[in-house]
Amino acid sequence: MLKFDVNRREFVKLAAGTGAALALPNFALGDVSSKMIGIQVGAVSFVDEGTEKVLDVLQERAGVNTLFLAVFTYGRGIAGRQIHGQPLPDHGKQEYDLNFHGGNFATPHPEFYKNTVIKETRAPDHGNLDILAEVLPAAKKRGMKVICWLEDVFRTDLPNIAKVQERDLHGRNTETLCVNNPDYRNFFTGLVEDYARSYDIDGIMWGSERQGALSDSLGATHDTPPIDPGEVTCFCEFCQAKAKQRGINPERARQGFLELEKFVRASRGGKRPVDGYYVQFWRILLRYPELAAWEMLFTDGLRENYAAIYKTVKAAKPAVPVGWHIWHNNSFNPIYRAEQDLQELAKYSDFIKVVMYNNCGGERMALYADNIGSTLYGDLSKQGLLDMNYALMGLKEGSYEQIPRTGLSADYVFRETKRALEGVAGTNTRIWPGIDIDIPTEPENSKCTPQSVKAAVLAALRAGASGVLLSRKYSEMRLANLSGAGDAIREFKV
């Protein structure tokens, strides 16, 4: 097992040295046959439909050449069947998996987990099935690549998990794990080393859909309900020790978040400060600059995990590409976007999947406006807030009333792809836009069609992306909409 002393020069050197040796095709712009056409898919689809049948469908309908196989997660977002209560798709077993457990859907090899208290993670959902051992040979016979897709979503009933959980503002354990806890980092570096050394994989993608305490306090997200301001994280011993090393006073930070908690509770209760919401927030921030420093404490901790994962994989198999899933909040929250510095991430990224889910994006954009409009921007109308946000984020979309029902446009995908490509300009890092197909939305809100999927995929390809990643998971996609992606790929090739 490796120890990690994060060295920026070393990662730059690694990235430069491995950029030409990636295990993926050489994706030349303008030639769709050389582009990465990926799809996120979980073990349950192969169990329900059969491995060869699933691969037939993915290749024939959408021209998929790369599987992003959900190999580690305890979450329903990328694994399991359709979410309970949502309409079942027109393939797979026509029932919900109400007893979904999750975990490692491959075979953990104990020697890679000696330096972490997180050890017993084998997913029990499909007996002794090792999804990598099952899918890899069949995919490779067809010339398809397999990239391991893993995320930091955990259960609360795992052995020793309390030792790694974050602590909130009032010292309570939370469901999420601390990015600055060495057991967390050692688990994920052990996990990716296990995959890289134990299997003939073609890449690893890791995702963490989280942000720092400042954004979470303000409700600067599309999640509903937004996090309680008293439950923001993390204030554990590792975060406090790291803060002190940086010259940040943990007690001052805690006092600042307590003041912010009062502000948010009053704001959500409709109690307007004398000088307005925005001014009052800045009064708190100016008095407690530790609030912004604590936000970056999380962000830098997350980046250090990216770097450690990257270094581990490159030490095990230098030719295996490594990349990241960037959360959809990147399209809504300017603070979160500021933290996603693509030039910085490119130093330890062979590829980056930037989420550009346009269909569910309208509903999510409106939810973001609801959340942040009840705190920081409480003095703005919802439409005024969106107009400001569109200007800040470089978007031109519909009204607050329209977008949940229409989704965001293909132009949103085009603009976001262009922006991301400019963000990594001068590096070897590839941008693969994440395109949504049938991610659940409220019954009255926008639903995907073959035409809308086709338009979104075409927008990404025409903007210059070297590939697209069909998301969130095959088990919730309708076949006609999957074919819409294939129509775009064929049209672009012509």
Side-chain angles (χ1 to χ4, degrees):
M1 300 296 288
L2 299 173
K3 292 183 179 180
F4 298 98
D5 180 17
V6 178
N7 183 313
R8 184 168 294 180
R9 287 198 184 99
E10 188 175 7
F11 287 121
V12 172
K13 191 180 296 183
L14 265 171
T18 59
L22 298 182
L24 296 173
N26 180 23
F27 303 119
L29 297 180
D31 179 7
V32 75
S33 64
S34 67
K35 291 186 181 292
M36 194 287 297
I37 309 300
I39 191 167
Q40 296 180 181
V41 57
V44 73
S45 292
F46 297 99
V47 171
D48 285 352
E49 301 179 44
T51 298
E52 298 296 339
K53 172 71 178 300
V54 170
L55 298 182
D56 282 344
V57 169
L58 300 184
Q59 285 189 306
E60 293 167 8
R61 285 188 174 268
V64 168
N65 57 32
T66 307
L67 305 175
F68 286 73
L69 187 59
V71 290
F72 180 85
T73 184
Y74 288 96
R76 295 302 305 266
I78 66 171
R81 298 193 192 112
Q82 174 65 285
I83 293 172
H84 182 254
Q86 292 289 334
L88 292 164
D90 52 350
H91 59 91
K93 189 172 284 190
Q94 295 299 292
E95 61 184 59
Y96 301 102
D97 48 352
L98 301 179
N99 296 318
F100 174 82
H101 185 281
N104 190 342
F105 290 91
T107 301
H109 298 87
E111 62 267 31
F112 297 105
Y113 307 95
K114 293 177 181 178
N115 296 331
T116 177
V117 299
I118 307 172
K119 297 181 184 295
E120 300 172 28
T121 62
R122 181 68 186 268
D125 302 71
H126 309 300
N128 292 324
L129 174 69
D130 180 327
I131 196 59
L132 282 174
E134 167 67 23
V135 172
L136 274 166
K140 289 188 179 297
K141 283 181 184 177
R142 299 166 177 251
M144 301 175 79
K145 304 293 182 180
V146 177
I147 291 178
C148 294
W149 174 198
L150 43 149
E151 61 175 357
D152 72 336
V153 178
F154 289 82
R155 298 172 63 95
T156 59
D157 58 356
L158 301 177
N160 297 318
I161 202 69
K163 297 177 182 179
V164 198
Q165 288 174 332
E166 291 187 302
R167 306 295 190 272
D168 71 13
L169 179 57
H170 298 282
R172 300 164 297 198
N173 281 38
T174 69
E175 294 185 3
T176 49
L177 304 194
C178 177
V179 298
N180 291 314
N181 187 314
D183 279 297
Y184 175 92
R185 187 165 305 169
N186 291 343
F187 172 74
F188 276 113
T189 53
L191 183 67
V192 297
E193 185 177 5
D194 191 354
Y195 291 147
R197 293 191 185 276
S198 304
Y199 300 92
D200 186 20
I201 60 172
D202 301 295
I204 286 175
M205 181 173 76
W206 186 60
S208 179
E209 294 195 337
R210 292 195 276 158
Q211 60 186 352
L214 178 59
S215 282
D216 273 346
S217 292
L218 294 171
T221 174
H222 59 279
D223 288 342
T224 183
I227 192 169
D228 184 279
E231 297 176 0
V232 296
T233 57
C234 176
F235 298 87
C236 75
E237 59 182 299
F238 300 103
C239 289
Q240 293 193 49
K242 187 172 183 177
K244 290 176 182 177
Q245 291 172 1
R246 292 179 164 213
I248 305 168
N249 185 326
E251 186 54 33
R252 284 275 305 167
R254 184 173 174 277
Q255 288 301 318
F257 279 106
L258 289 171
E259 289 299 314
L260 195 56
E261 179 185 7
K262 295 176 188 176
F263 163 75
V264 170
R265 292 197 190 286
S267 298
R268 289 178 179 165
K271 187 176 179 180
R272 183 181 184 273
V274 173
D275 293 309
Y277 299 95
Y278 188 76
V279 170
Q280 184 62 25
F281 164 74
W282 270 98
R283 280 201 179 121
I284 298 171
L285 184 61
L286 291 171
R287 184 178 179 188
Y288 295 100
E290 293 85 359
L291 294 170
W294 213 263
E295 179 84 4
M296 282 305 295
L297 190 71
F298 170 83
T299 299
D300 287 342
L302 185 61
R303 289 176 179 174
E304 288 164 12
N305 280 284
Y306 286 155
I309 288 170
Y310 186 88
K311 183 177 180 180
T312 300
V313 175
K314 296 304 180 182
K317 286 185 182 176
V320 172
V322 181
W324 323 109
H325 161 100
I326 302 299
W327 185 26
H328 207 184
N329 207 33
N330 188 57
S331 290
F332 315 130
N333 178 10
I335 302 172
Y336 182 80
R337 177 172 287 189
E339 294 163 0
Q340 309 313 305
D341 183 344
L342 297 184
Q343 281 289 319
E344 175 66 26
L345 295 181
K347 295 171 183 175
Y348 32 82
S349 309
D350 295 315
F351 64 88
I352 301 175
K353 173 204 172 184
V354 182
V355 171
M356 303 178 193
Y357 300 163
N358 67 303
N359 182 72
C360 68
E363 179 180 90
R364 292 180 174 186
M365 181 73 82
L367 286 170
Y368 170 80
D370 291 340
N371 290 341
I372 198 73
S374 68
T375 60
L376 182 60
Y377 300 124
D379 286 314
L380 297 179
S381 68
K382 297 295 173 58
Q383 188 56 52
L385 194 166
L386 277 189
D387 289 341
M388 178 190 71
N389 223 43
Y390 290 159
L392 293 175
M393 305 296 263
L395 302 175
K396 293 183 178 179
E397 295 299 320
S399 71
Y400 171 79
E401 299 294 337
Q402 293 173 332
I403 54 175
R405 297 193 300 273
T406 63
L408 302 181
S409 67
D411 180 65
Y412 153 75
V413 177
F414 184 87
R415 287 169 178 263
E416 283 293 272
T417 303
K418 282 285 191 184
R419 183 195 64 79
L421 289 169
E422 291 172 6
V424 297
T427 76
N428 292 322
T429 303
R430 297 186 176 110
I431 295 295
W432 294 337
I435 306 298
D436 64 322
I437 301 180
D438 297 315
I439 293 177
T441 56
E442 292 298 319
E444 68 277 11
N445 287 341
S446 180
K447 308 297 178 188
C448 286
T449 66
Q451 294 74 27
S452 69
V453 172
K454 177 181 177 181
V457 172
L458 277 173
L461 296 175
R462 286 170 177 164
S466 59
V468 293
L469 181 43
L470 309 177
S471 305
R472 225 173 26 171
K473 56 182 180 179
Y474 168 66
S475 62
E476 65 188 6
M477 299 178 185
R478 297 191 65 80
L479 294 178
N481 294 334
L482 184 60
S483 294
D487 291 343
I489 292 159
R490 286 184 287 272
E491 180 174 317
F492 187 81
K493 185 175 181 181
V494 173

